[in-house]
Amino acid sequence: MSRADQTDAVWVNKIIPISTVDGPGARSAVFVQGCNLRCAYCHNPETQTLCRHCGLCVPGCPSGALSQNGSRVVWNPVLCIDCDQCLDVCPYFSSPKVRRMSPQDVFAEIEPNLPFIRGLTVSGGECTLYPSFLTGLFRLAKDNNLSTLIDANGAVDLSLFPDMMNVTDGVMLDLKAWDPEVYRRVTGVERTQAAENNLRFLSSQGKLAEIRLVCQADWIDVRQALDGAAKTIPHAVHDTPLKLIAFRSYGVKGEMKDVAAPGLSEMETYRTYAESIGFTRIVIR
Amino acid sequence: MFDKKQAFDVLTSKRLTHEQKLMSLAKSAENAFDVLEIPEKTRQYFASGVINDLFEGGAPYRPRYILPDYERFVREGSAFLQLQPPRDFDELIFALMIIYRHVPSITNFPVYLGNLDTLIEPFINAESDADVVRKLRLFFTYLDRTITDSFCHANLGPKATRAGELILEAEAGLQNAVPNFTIKYDPDITSDDFMKRAIDCSLQCSNPAICNHQANTSPFGDAYGISSCYNILPTSGGAYTLTRVTLTELAKIADSADHFLQDLLPEVLRLIGDYMTERIKFLVEQSGFFESNFLVREGLIDKDRFLGMFGVTGLAEAVDMLLAGKGFVYGRDSEADDLAEAILNTVESVVNSLDAPYSPLTGGKFLLHAQVGLDSDIGITSGVRIPVGKEPDRFIDHLRHSGRFHKYFPAGVGDIFPIAAHVDQNTDALLDVVRGAFSVGVHYMSFYAADTDLVRITGYLVKRSEMEKYRQNEVVLQNTTQLGAPNYDVNRLKDRKVRMSD
């Protein structure tokens, strides 16, 4: 058991008691605040940055759940009606509706869900920015026989955190893009070696639970990204689950907010391509 | 008494099928008799809606629910029906089609069709999967179009069988309201793969519902079936009768929670016990059923395996009413749920103190049943369910609530949950939830996909498309559409909280 240690605490955006879309079976899903990428298609843009307490969202709050207390914006979850006006007006891709929580705090909220779930998934934001939080939380999960999954953007080299990986059963790794130019345009940052390192490292550990790729022909080099992944882990392509996610503009605040979604037939061409280079466990979402 | 005007209205209706007219007229005739001794006080409670016998009629001449021993019928055939034991799959289906036609019930249709997978399993060895599925589809469609009443139930499980899997495959491709299916689920017996197929089927066609096998074996061991609308009853037997107390109506005349608990409730429960005793005695001693019916004579049912079901409904609104002014709400506030528990503890202890005649299987007791409702129930939520619109925000809290209150009802109780359509992509998740639910005491649950045509009303299935026809005054095949449409509208069932949408 890890000690209650405030240095392990992070800002938590949301905890979903039973999620059906964050890995196999019923899982509790924890979304932490703060990301190192600025993806043009980000579907939960309000998790990207930490609140800077500018107060812009306070006057428009219809239920009085937000107030300015000195230099800080304070959120009262009891009064909040989840209308999300604060998220709509925030120019910084953040949210005032976050709670500072230690691994113990988070686990205490998950505990009542135990008989109904088989595992815990942590997503974000980018949760791998907080390896000591993840280590502490996953130790508690393991003590309670939960499987542990990380939803990662791939921009943090996970091999640097062996304690965290020891208590992590698998990582769902987002490819984002392959070509450095395309990657920079989509994510807003430079592509590093982390993406390929993670593929190799996780695959060698048997912890590559899934490769994900959001697809949109004008923005993402889908075929090149699939090729890149396949060449990086040639022995594991056959067994690694691949999830091809059709870009959707719902909830998007970034540059791609007005971009059209690919149709099912386009997605099927990606599936066919993935099959042609050796992927076998492919799902389209 | 015979209501001449009502009978004439039925006779000349343009909204009823011939069969529906026939049965309604038969009921009018039955109600012309005044053979039961009913005290004035009981009559008053009937008039105010506190007691309701669910249209059983004035002179019971068949048990309400009958669960024949179909295994024996298949093994031995029937002298009365002039049928030899079936030798192959075609003969089996043929034999079942014949006997179902002759199993009476309160609806005049069979409410229980047997544990179909285990009945079929020995007969399909020589058949290909495709042939079995094709024949099952014809069989099921025959049942749907001739048993024109959704209070009809077939059972599956708990063991995975090839027949069970093929039944699910056949059923998933149909969008039939009849029969209802329930799978008996025991995590120690039922394979995950079979359950995932069942759940997948359920998200496609709202069948099967899922019964907690371990929890429901306590009253009668393995020899139980799920019939009609979530009634857990002994096979080779059934229920003589079912009368219910509508707690909501009783709460209306209570001065206080104490008055309700100490005085009114025990009085009403005793009167119901007396009333059911009258019914059972007439049925057993005078109706001639148990002396003459071939099901009895051929050993397919046994009087000693029948019982009286003691129905309870409308707990939620009763509790809210008794706590009026304090602002506590059933299903959301612990103060309300604690009062609900106190009410059910009283119900349980009073009902268990009553003597039920001709009920050796239960040691001479009535068995409690969470009654799911009537189309005329307005502002009365089924059994111990939480009203639509007041469900806890979290599915888990809802399930824990169900678990807390299901244990009082050995003769059946259940909850219905619309599930987000995308969960069919992750049936493991719903299986995890079912397992969790059963581990916290849920006895029975059913699902339908939030976007499906087939919706569960109180326990039975009705098609949204058929309800729409009925609302346009068209004649519809199934009489449960007539029950379902007003219930769906009045109780705002379209607003049921969709679960697992995250």
Side-chain angles (χ1 to χ4, degrees):
Chain A
M1 298 284 280
S2 90
R3 283 175 305 119
D5 180 350
Q6 269 315 109
T7 60
D8 288 350
V10 301
W11 291 100
V12 172
N13 181 286
K14 183 165 56 171
I15 299 176
I16 296 178
I18 301 177
S19 165
T20 63
V21 295
D22 292 290
R27 320 181 67 81
S28 288
V30 179
F31 295 81
V32 300
Q33 188 75 9
C35 189
N36 50 345
L37 306 186
R38 298 288 175 266
C39 294
Y41 57 61
C42 182
H43 292 95
N44 37 9
E46 74 282 2
T47 64
Q48 285 184 11
T49 69
L50 301 183
C51 178
R52 55 187 79 187
H53 301 283
C54 68
L56 272 176
C57 56
V58 174
C61 177
S63 64
L66 295 175
S67 57
Q68 186 94 38
N69 185 357
S71 64
R72 298 192 70 79
V73 170
V74 180
W75 170 58
N76 181 340
V78 177
L79 295 178
C80 181
I81 55 170
D82 267 325
C83 69
D84 287 351
Q85 81 81 30
C86 49
L87 309 185
D88 293 340
V89 301
C90 179
Y92 304 113
F93 292 62
S94 186
S95 168
K97 300 193 289 180
V98 291
R99 293 179 293 159
R100 185 87 179 157
M101 297 176 87
S102 68
Q104 288 74 17
D105 296 334
V106 171
F107 198 77
E109 272 195 28
I110 288 167
E111 210 157 14
N113 311 338
L114 280 182
F116 301 91
I117 58 174
R118 68 175 64 183
L120 172 62
T121 298
V122 185
S123 183
E126 178 51 36
C127 66
T128 62
L129 296 173
Y130 312 108
S132 60
F133 167 79
L134 280 176
T135 308
L137 178 59
F138 281 1
R139 278 189 186 140
L140 293 169
K142 286 281 156 205
D143 289 343
N144 287 277
N145 298 317
L146 291 179
S147 72
T148 53
L149 287 179
I150 286 174
D151 189 352
N153 67 16
V156 173
D157 191 331
L158 301 177
S159 67
L160 302 175
F161 306 104
D163 286 350
M164 175 182 87
M165 290 312 299
N166 274 338
V167 284
T168 301
D169 292 322
V171 176
M172 297 177 285
L173 191 69
D174 202 331
L175 277 187
K176 300 292 179 189
W178 202 262
D179 178 85
E181 287 295 318
V182 178
Y183 188 93
R184 186 189 310 126
R185 184 176 174 224
V186 173
T187 66
V189 305
E190 295 296 328
R191 189 165 188 277
T192 68
Q193 274 302 306
E196 280 155 81
N197 288 353
N198 282 331
L199 279 170
R200 263 186 229 104
F201 168 69
L202 292 172
S203 172
S204 71
Q205 303 275 307
K207 292 185 175 180
L208 187 53
E210 178 178 283
I211 294 176
R212 294 180 169 181
L213 182 62
V214 174
C215 302
Q216 207 287 338
D218 300 331
W219 277 77
I220 292 144
D221 52 346
V222 176
R223 288 181 178 78
Q224 207 178 336
L226 294 174
D227 280 337
K231 284 182 185 140
T232 308
I233 49 166
H235 305 297
V237 176
H238 185 268
D239 289 330
T240 304
L242 172 67
K243 186 179 283 175
L244 298 169
I245 302 166
F247 164 78
R248 293 175 188 91
S249 60
Y250 180 78
V252 174
K253 252 170 113 171
E255 278 185 75
M256 286 175 69
K257 66 181 190 308
D258 299 320
V259 170
L264 194 59
S265 59
E266 182 181 335
M267 293 304 295
E268 286 298 335
T269 66
Y270 299 139
R271 181 207 296 272
T272 306
Y273 186 74
E275 281 167 351
S276 76
I277 59 172
F279 287 99
T280 60
R281 300 169 64 188
I282 307 166
V283 291
I284 291 177
R285 287 283 188 280
Chain B
M1 59 168 235
F2 185 69
D3 185 338
K4 216 168 161 180
K5 178 177 182 310
Q6 194 213 358
F8 190 76
D9 287 347
V10 166
L11 192 134
T12 55
S13 167
K14 294 183 178 65
R15 277 181 106 177
L16 298 174
T17 64
H18 169 73
E19 193 176 41
Q20 288 158 1
K21 289 184 182 185
L22 196 64
M23 288 195 281
S24 185
L25 292 170
K27 179 73 66 181
S28 296
E30 182 190 342
N31 286 340
F33 295 100
D34 202 7
V35 295
L36 303 175
E37 182 119 358
I38 307 173
E40 184 50 35
K41 190 75 198 168
T42 305
R43 288 182 195 276
Q44 287 170 12
Y45 278 127
F46 264 101
S48 61
V50 172
I51 302 179
N52 189 304
D53 66 2
L54 307 151
F55 311 115
E56 272 193 14
Y61 57 100
R62 76 294 203 199
R64 183 177 182 94
Y65 302 127
I66 294 177
L67 287 74
D69 181 352
Y70 291 114
E71 281 76 14
R72 180 165 181 175
F73 164 69
V74 168
R75 218 165 43 237
E76 299 178 2
S78 164
F80 177 76
L81 297 175
Q82 301 163 47
L83 286 172
Q84 293 298 313
R87 288 162 303 182
D88 60 27
F89 189 41
D90 290 344
E91 288 188 8
L92 172 74
I93 291 180
F94 184 69
L96 290 174
M97 283 165 69
I98 291 171
I99 191 172
Y100 290 156
R101 177 71 184 72
H102 300 280
V103 177
S105 78
I106 187 64
T107 68
N108 298 311
F109 295 105
V111 292
Y112 174 72
L113 305 181
N115 227 73
L116 269 190
D117 51 356
T118 46
L119 272 181
I120 288 173
E121 181 75 1
F123 290 89
I124 58 172
N125 292 331
E127 307 260 343
S128 71
D129 286 3
D131 280 347
V132 174
V133 168
R134 187 176 54 81
K135 289 173 184 179
L136 284 174
R137 284 197 175 141
L138 291 172
F139 177 46
F140 292 163
T141 300
Y142 162 83
L143 296 174
D144 184 62
R145 305 303 194 274
T146 58
I147 301 175
T148 53
D149 178 294
S150 297
F151 298 115
C152 169
H153 227 111
N155 297 181
L156 302 171
K159 238 182 102 184
T161 54
R162 177 171 169 244
E165 287 172 9
L166 295 174
I167 287 170
L168 291 173
E169 187 182 333
E171 172 69 5
L174 302 168
Q175 288 282 317
N176 285 347
V178 178
N180 289 284
F181 282 90
T182 288
I183 183 165
K184 299 170 176 175
Y185 175 50
D186 180 341
D188 294 341
I189 300 173
T190 320
S191 72
D192 284 1
D193 184 61
F194 188 44
M195 267 314 287
K196 282 196 279 183
R197 284 171 196 243
I199 285 170
D200 193 49
C201 184
S202 179
L203 293 173
Q204 287 182 61
C205 64
S206 312
N207 262 320
I210 304 171
C211 168
N212 183 340
H213 184 62
Q214 288 179 0
N216 284 299
T217 47
S218 54
F220 329 109
D222 280 348
Y224 77 95
I226 298 99
S227 75
S228 185
C229 229
Y230 308 163
N231 309 306
I232 307 282
L233 290 168
T235 49
S236 311
Y240 292 120
T241 180
L242 163 62
T243 299
R244 76 176 198 191
V245 56
T246 304
L247 298 172
T248 317
E249 300 295 347
L250 189 62
K252 283 180 188 165
I253 54 173
D255 301 333
S256 65
D258 272 352
H259 181 217
F260 182 89
L261 276 169
Q262 310 294 332
D263 302 331
L264 294 177
L265 191 55
E267 176 186 58
V268 168
L269 297 174
R270 286 189 190 104
L271 292 173
I272 290 176
D274 293 345
Y275 178 71
M276 286 208 286
T277 296
E278 276 290 298
R279 298 191 67 85
I280 295 170
K281 283 188 168 166
F282 182 84
L283 176 60
V284 172
E285 294 168 3
Q286 291 193 61
S287 77
F289 178 86
F290 286 103
E291 290 81 37
S292 62
N293 191 279
F294 81 101
L295 295 169
V296 184
R297 298 167 72 103
E298 298 189 0
L300 302 180
I301 55 176
D302 177 349
K303 179 164 61 62
D304 289 345
R305 292 184 60 81
F306 280 81
L307 55 91
M309 294 170 72
F310 206 114
V312 175
T313 199
L315 178 64
E317 288 82 1
V319 166
D320 291 356
M321 219 177 283
L322 293 171
L323 291 172
K326 296 187 183 158
F328 298 127
V329 175
Y330 179 73
R332 286 187 167 258
D333 299 310
S334 61
E335 292 84 350
D337 291 346
D338 289 347
L339 175 60
E341 194 167 275
I343 291 173
L344 291 182
N345 284 335
T346 299
V347 169
E348 188 177 52
S349 76
V350 174
V351 169
N352 284 341
S353 76
L354 304 174
D355 292 323
Y358 302 111
S359 305
L361 191 66
T362 58
K365 301 295 168 199
F366 298 108
L367 278 198
L368 283 167
H369 169 68
Q371 205 275 325
V372 296
L374 290 168
D375 59 320
S376 56
D377 288 342
I378 294 173
I380 300 168
T381 298
S382 297
V384 294
R385 288 181 195 156
I386 298 170
V388 172
K390 292 185 179 167
E391 301 100 327
D393 297 336
R394 294 182 174 194
F395 193 18
I396 286 171
D397 294 337
H398 199 160
L399 292 168
R400 284 190 189 280
H401 185 275
S402 301
R404 182 175 177 187
F405 293 102
H406 279 195
K407 62 173 179 281
Y408 291 95
F409 300 99
V413 56
D415 272 286
I416 301 171
F417 303 104
I419 300 292
H422 70 252
V423 175
D424 65 355
Q425 304 293 316
N426 186 357
T427 45
D428 277 305
L430 196 43
L431 179 55
D432 289 348
V433 168
V434 170
R435 237 187 248 129
F438 285 4
S439 79
V440 300
V442 170
H443 279 208
Y444 191 100
M445 60 200 297
S446 57
F447 312 117
Y448 58 89
D451 59 356
T452 184
D453 189 34
L454 271 170
V455 292
R456 273 195 197 277
I457 302 299
T458 56
Y460 57 97
L461 289 169
V462 174
K463 291 188 179 185
R464 291 186 225 249
S465 49
E466 285 283 296
M467 288 194 280
E468 197 40 51
K469 280 192 213 163
Y470 181 72
R471 291 187 194 107
Q472 307 298 326
N473 290 322
E474 289 180 42
V475 179
V476 289
L477 178 64
Q478 259 140 359
N479 61 13
T480 27
T481 304
Q482 299 160 16
L483 298 178
N487 197 317
Y488 188 80
D489 297 338
V490 167
N491 293 320
R492 297 171 294 120
L493 298 190
K494 71 173 168 37
D495 298 329
R496 271 188 190 137
K497 197 167 176 61
V498 175
R499 297 302 189 177
M500 301 179 77
S501 51
D502 287 316

